[in-house]
Amino acid sequence: MSCHDHGSVDIESDETIALVGCPNVGKSVVFNALAERYVDVSNYPGTTVDVTEAAFEGAKLTDTPGVYGVSSFDEEERITRDIVLDADLAINVVDATRLDRDLFLTLQLLDMGIPTVVALNMMDEADADGTDVDVEALESALGVPVVPTVAIDGTGIDRLRERLPEATAPESTPIERWFADLPEDIDATRAEQTLLVEEDEQTAARVTDGEIVADGGALTFVETGQREDVYTHRRRRVEDVVADAVARRDRDSSWAERLSDYMLNPLTGTPIALAALAAIYYLIGDLVAQRLVDFMEVTVFGTYYNPAVELFVSGLLPNADWAKPVEFVLLNDNLGLLTITVQYLVGVLLPLVVAFYLVISVMEDAGVLPRLAVLTDRGLNRIGLNGRAIVPMIVGVGCVTMAVITTRMVGSRRERLISTALLGLAIPCSAQLGIIMGLLAGLGVIWWFGYVGVLLAVFGVAGLFLDRALPGESTALVTELPRLRIPRPGNILRKTYNRTKMFLREAIPLFAVTALVISVLDYVGGLGLLERGLTPVTALIGLPQEFGRVLVLGLIRRDFAAAGMTDLALGPAEMFVGLVVITLFVPCILSMTMILKERDAKSALAMWLGSWVVAFGVGGLLAVIL
Amino acid sequence: MSEMLADTDPGDAVVLESVPDDDVRARLLRLGFLDGAVECRHRLRKGPIVLRRNGTELALGADLAREIEVTSGESKR
C-alpha cells in the first residue's frame, strides 16, 4: 500500500509532521493555527476518512483522525498508524483535563521512537475544571518538550512552533523488554517493532510481506495476550506520570455536566432530542429545502439563469441537424447539462449541503451526537444497528443524499449497508415530503397516519430482514461522551467550508456524467420506452398508465414524482397507494450516485432493484387491502 | 460473587473484572477503564450504560454490559 500518495495533495516536501491526538482535543484547531498555506482535505486513499494536509516551515503537516492509540481497531486508527509510521516527527495534542486518557497515546508514540513535541491543550478548561498540571514535572517525566496551549485563542502556538526542533523521543523505553522475543532476522523499525509486540497484524503483514502470519491472521512469533501485557504495563506508566504531574481540586459540577445528565436521562433527554430534531427539520427541511431551494429554482434559475443560458447557447449553435442532439443534451428540461443539471447542483444541492454540514458541525462541536446515540441505541439494536446510526436517519429526512455520506460514522461495513439501504428505501426526503404532506392533507388526517404507519412498518421489517439476512453481527456501542461545550463559530465555519468543498469536488463530475447519460437516453427515446414498459407494474398496484410517467420522473428526482401525482385524477385509496409507492421507490439520481460512490456497485444495484420490489410489493398489497 | 455490569446502578463504583471481547477489552484498557474502580453514571432501561473515570465518560451498549463481570469498587460517595 502506498502511504505517500494522499489523493490530490501535492505539497512537495521530504519532511512530514503528523499531528496526533485523541478525538476532541482541539487537534484541528492547532492544525489551522500552525498551517501556513494550502490546506487541503482529501479522502485517504481507499477509505472514506478525511485527511487534511498543509505546508508548514518547509515540511508537510498532516492532521490525522482522532484516535486513543495507534492500532488497527477501526479505519481511523489504521490511517493514523500509517501516517505515524511514515512521519518524521509528531506533534501530540493532549487535553489537559484528560491526561489520564491521553497519555497512553503519548507513551505509545514515545515507545515507537517517534520524535515528539506535546501540545498540552485546553489549559483554560483544566483550570476551570479544577485540574492543576505541573508542566515541568510532565516534561521531565515524559522526556520530551511539553508546551501548554489554549489553541482556540492562539495561546502557546508560537512557543509550540519554536520548540518543534527540540522534538525527541527517549533513547530507550520499557517497551524494549518485549523486543527480545521478536525473530532476530526481522527487518522492522523501532515503531514497527512496538506495533509487532502489540500484536498488530497489519504491521506484521507490512514487515514480512505476510510470510510470518499464520492462518487466521495470528502472529506466530508473538504470544497471544501479549498486547494486553504491553498495554497494562503502559497504563501503569501513565498512572505514574499522572500521579507526578497532575493535582485535582474539588469543585462543583459544571453546567455542562448537569445538562449532560439531563440529556442522558430518557425522561428529560427525549424531549430535548425531539426539540433539537424539530429545530433541525425546520432549518434543513423547511427553511433550506423548501424556501431557499424554491427561491433558487423558481426565481434564480427559472426566471434568470436558464432562459439566459438557453438563449445564449441556442444562438451559438448553428441550425444544423448535428446540432440538435447537442442542444438537447445541453438544454433539455429534464436534465440539461448546462441548465437543469447546474440548477440541481447550485440551486438545490449546494444550499442543502451547506445547511447540512453546518448542522452536523454544530452538533459535533457541541458533543451532542454521542449522547443521541446513547438514547437511541436500544431501538436501533433491533434492526442490526447501534446508536450511532441515528445521525444518518435524522439527516435523511432532510436529504437522503447527504445522509448517505454520514453513514460513514455508523461503524462496520455491515451497519453501513443496513443504514444506507434503509435510507434509500423508507426515508422520504424533505423535498418530497413537503408535496406528499400537501396531498395527504387533502385526503384527511387518517391517511397521514396511515402513510407514516406504513413507512415505519416497512422501515422496521426491512431492518429486521437485513439484520437476519446479512452475515455477521452488529457491533456494540462503545463511544466516549466528550464534554458538552458551546460550539465555536470559527470551527464550524471552517469545517463546513472544507467539507462542502470536498463534497462538491466529488459530486459534480459524478452528477454531470449521470445527467449526460440520462439525457442521451431521453433523446434516443429510452425514457419513453421505459414508461411504456412500466405498464404491467402500474396495473399491479391498480393505477392508470400515466403513473408510469410519475415513476420515470421519480428515477431522476423524488419530489418530481410527488409533484407529478398532483396532475393525476385519483381516488383517495389510489392516491394513497401511489404516494406510498413513490416514497419507497428508488432513491433519486443524486442519492444513487452517492450510494454508488460510498458503497460498491453490487450493493448499490441490489438496493436499487430492492426498492423496486418493495415499492411494488407493498403497493400491490395495499391495493388489495384498500 | 461477581455480578454483571448491566445490573450496576447509577452512583455505584465497580471494577470491571472480565471483558470477554478481546478488542473491547483492549480499548477499555487503553482508556484506563480497567485500572481500577469506575463510576456508573447512567443506565438506560435495557439500553446502554455510561461509565466515568477521571472525567472521561464512556457509553457501552446493553449487549456488552450484559457480558462484562464486575465486582464492587470502593464507594466514591
Side-chain angles (χ1 to χ4, degrees):
Chain A
M1 166 170 173
S2 161
C3 296
H4 295 282
D5 174 20
H6 293 195
S8 62
V9 177
D10 53 1
I11 297 164
E12 290 299 326
S13 176
D14 297 333
E15 202 186 14
T16 58
I17 303 171
L19 202 62
V20 190
C22 295
N24 304 301
V25 296
K27 220 160 28 67
S28 50
V29 185
V30 173
F31 176 87
N32 280 283
L34 289 173
E36 283 159 2
R37 64 180 168 85
Y38 200 62
V39 177
D40 197 22
V41 191
S42 62
N43 279 159
Y44 195 79
T47 71
T48 49
V49 177
D50 306 343
V51 169
T52 320
E53 297 187 334
F56 172 74
E57 295 189 354
K60 185 172 74 179
L61 183 67
T62 307
D63 191 8
T64 62
V67 295
Y68 301 106
V70 179
S71 183
S72 307
F73 290 128
D74 53 38
E75 204 166 61
E76 279 84 358
E77 290 193 11
R78 287 189 283 272
I79 291 165
T80 301
R81 180 199 61 207
D82 286 345
I83 295 172
V84 166
L85 284 176
D86 283 341
D88 296 295
L89 58 97
I91 298 172
N92 176 214
V93 185
V94 298
D95 177 346
T97 68
R98 300 279 186 271
L99 280 181
D100 179 66
R101 177 198 72 188
D102 290 13
L103 288 180
F104 182 91
L105 175 59
T106 311
L107 290 185
Q108 192 179 25
L109 290 171
L110 300 184
D111 280 342
M112 291 169 76
I114 312 279
T116 300
V117 173
V118 173
L120 183 61
N121 198 25
M122 307 198 174
M123 285 300 276
D124 54 336
E125 291 191 8
D127 191 44
D129 216 32
T131 306
D132 291 324
V133 184
D134 182 341
V135 180
E136 278 172 32
L138 187 60
E139 187 162 313
S140 76
L142 293 174
V144 301
V146 175
V147 183
T149 58
V150 183
I152 200 74
D153 60 19
T155 308
I157 297 296
D158 287 339
R159 188 87 186 112
L160 183 63
R161 202 179 282 125
E162 276 166 34
R163 295 199 69 184
L164 208 55
E166 294 173 45
T168 181
E171 199 63 29
S172 98
T173 66
I175 186 91
E176 283 159 28
R177 70 179 63 179
W178 282 281
F179 287 177
D181 299 339
L182 292 173
E184 280 177 20
D185 59 340
I186 206 159
D187 178 24
T189 61
R190 184 191 171 96
E192 285 167 341
Q193 289 184 37
T194 301
L195 293 180
L196 283 179
V197 300
E198 291 176 7
E199 301 179 65
D200 188 69
E201 283 152 18
Q202 296 192 6
T203 303
R206 173 171 160 144
V207 299
T208 64
D209 295 326
E211 282 164 23
I212 306 189
V213 181
D215 291 342
L219 301 177
T220 49
F221 52 85
V222 175
E223 274 178 59
T224 318
Q226 182 167 305
R227 174 173 72 189
E228 229 167 298
D229 295 344
V230 178
Y231 278 13
T232 306
H233 189 265
R234 189 176 289 138
R235 278 304 311 174
R236 295 288 157 274
R237 289 189 279 147
V238 170
E239 290 187 332
D240 291 345
V241 175
V242 169
D244 281 352
V246 181
R248 285 197 178 78
R249 284 171 273 134
D250 275 342
R251 55 168 187 99
D252 296 332
S253 60
S254 63
W255 66 266
E257 281 174 319
R258 286 194 297 273
L259 181 57
S260 175
D261 286 345
Y262 284 127
M263 287 175 76
L264 289 172
N265 182 345
L267 275 181
T268 42
T270 311
I272 295 175
L274 289 177
L277 291 191
I280 294 169
Y281 181 77
Y282 177 72
L283 180 76
I284 295 188
D286 190 74
L287 222 53
V288 176
Q290 302 296 318
R291 290 165 209 261
L292 182 60
V293 167
D294 259 11
F295 170 76
M296 293 295 282
E297 291 207 286
V298 175
T299 311
V300 176
F301 281 89
T303 315
Y304 298 104
Y305 176 87
N306 289 343
V309 169
E310 275 162 28
L311 202 67
F312 180 73
V313 174
S314 49
L316 224 57
L317 288 168
N319 194 8
D321 278 351
W322 66 264
K324 287 220 170 63
V326 176
E327 187 177 341
F328 184 83
V329 166
L330 293 180
L331 302 176
N332 77 72
D333 289 340
N334 274 338
L335 217 51
L337 202 56
L338 295 182
T339 51
I340 310 292
T341 307
V342 179
Q343 175 181 328
Y344 285 176
L345 282 170
V346 178
V348 182
L349 201 57
L350 185 65
L352 279 169
V353 170
V354 172
F356 155 76
Y357 279 138
L358 270 178
V359 167
I360 285 292
S361 303
V362 167
M363 295 210 288
E364 262 180 14
D365 219 45
V368 300
L369 291 180
R371 290 173 170 83
L372 209 53
V374 169
L375 279 183
T376 53
D377 187 58
R378 182 185 162 200
L380 288 166
N381 270 339
R382 297 181 177 192
I383 53 170
L385 298 170
N386 71 44
R388 279 183 294 182
I390 190 64
V391 176
M393 301 306 155
I394 298 168
V395 175
V397 182
C399 172
V400 172
T401 311
M402 296 275 75
V404 173
I405 302 172
T406 51
T407 57
R408 287 173 187 180
M409 60 172 86
V410 303
S412 67
R413 198 184 104 83
R414 182 178 193 267
E415 282 145 81
R416 282 178 217 173
L417 271 177
I418 295 179
S419 50
T420 311
L422 291 178
L423 275 173
L425 182 67
I427 307 275
C429 68
S430 56
Q432 180 189 31
L433 208 53
I435 301 169
I436 290 178
M437 276 162 87
L439 287 170
L440 283 172
L443 298 183
V445 72
I446 187 82
W447 294 99
W448 171 243
F449 282 113
Y451 174 80
V452 174
V454 169
L455 283 196
L456 284 177
V458 171
F459 184 90
V461 171
L464 285 174
F465 169 79
L466 288 168
D467 183 34
R468 293 215 178 2
L470 289 171
E473 278 191 26
S474 56
T475 52
L477 183 74
V478 180
T479 187
E480 203 209 327
L481 304 179
R483 89 177 58 220
L484 285 176
R485 55 159 64 94
I486 295 167
R488 290 145 298 187
N491 243 5
I492 288 155
L493 292 178
R494 194 179 52 242
K495 270 189 196 172
T496 305
Y497 172 75
N498 279 338
R499 288 168 170 181
T500 305
K501 194 172 79 176
M502 192 166 87
F503 173 78
L504 291 179
R505 196 162 65 197
E506 288 171 3
I508 287 174
L510 278 174
F511 192 53
V513 170
T514 317
L516 198 69
V517 171
I518 297 272
S519 288
V520 170
L521 204 63
D522 195 4
Y523 189 77
V524 300
L527 290 189
L529 217 61
L530 202 60
E531 199 178 315
R532 278 192 296 284
L534 287 172
T535 322
V537 281
T538 53
L540 179 77
I541 54 174
L543 290 176
Q545 196 193 327
E546 292 77 55
F547 188 66
R549 178 87 199 147
V550 170
L551 290 177
V552 172
L553 287 174
L555 291 174
I556 300 169
R557 236 178 94 176
R558 288 179 133 189
D559 53 326
F560 278 12
M565 292 292 289
T566 47
D567 302 336
L568 300 180
L570 298 172
E574 285 174 325
M575 180 63 89
F576 179 77
V577 172
L579 291 178
V580 168
V581 170
I582 60 163
T583 307
L584 298 176
F585 192 52
V586 296
C588 71
I589 273 192
L590 273 178
S591 302
M592 269 326 288
T593 339
M594 201 42 66
I595 291 175
L596 205 58
K597 179 178 157 296
E598 295 282 319
R599 304 284 94 83
D600 55 301
K602 211 177 89 187
S603 319
L605 188 69
M607 286 174 203
W608 197 76
L609 292 176
S611 44
W612 279 85
V613 174
V614 175
F616 288 99
V618 173
L621 200 66
L622 288 175
V624 172
I625 297 171
L626 293 171
Chain B
M1 175 69 200
S2 62
E3 53 178 311
M4 293 303 171
L5 180 61
D7 304 321
T8 309
D9 289 320
D12 286 358
V14 292
V15 177
L16 308 187
E17 295 290 350
S18 89
V19 183
D21 186 286
D22 285 345
D23 279 4
V24 173
R25 190 169 62 242
R27 291 169 70 181
L28 290 173
L29 183 57
R30 280 197 317 200
L31 289 166
F33 277 74
L34 303 186
D35 287 354
V38 296
E39 183 196 355
C40 171
R41 290 281 292 167
H42 297 275
R43 188 186 66 190
L44 279 70
R45 208 170 67 84
K46 292 185 182 172
I49 196 153
V50 178
L51 302 174
R52 180 156 85 162
R53 183 177 183 281
N54 286 343
T56 303
E57 286 190 322
L58 191 72
L60 296 175
D63 285 347
L64 269 179
R66 270 191 285 273
E67 55 186 37
I68 295 177
E69 277 181 36
V70 296
T71 51
S72 170
E74 80 275 45
S75 176
K76 287 186 172 178
R77 291 192 169 184

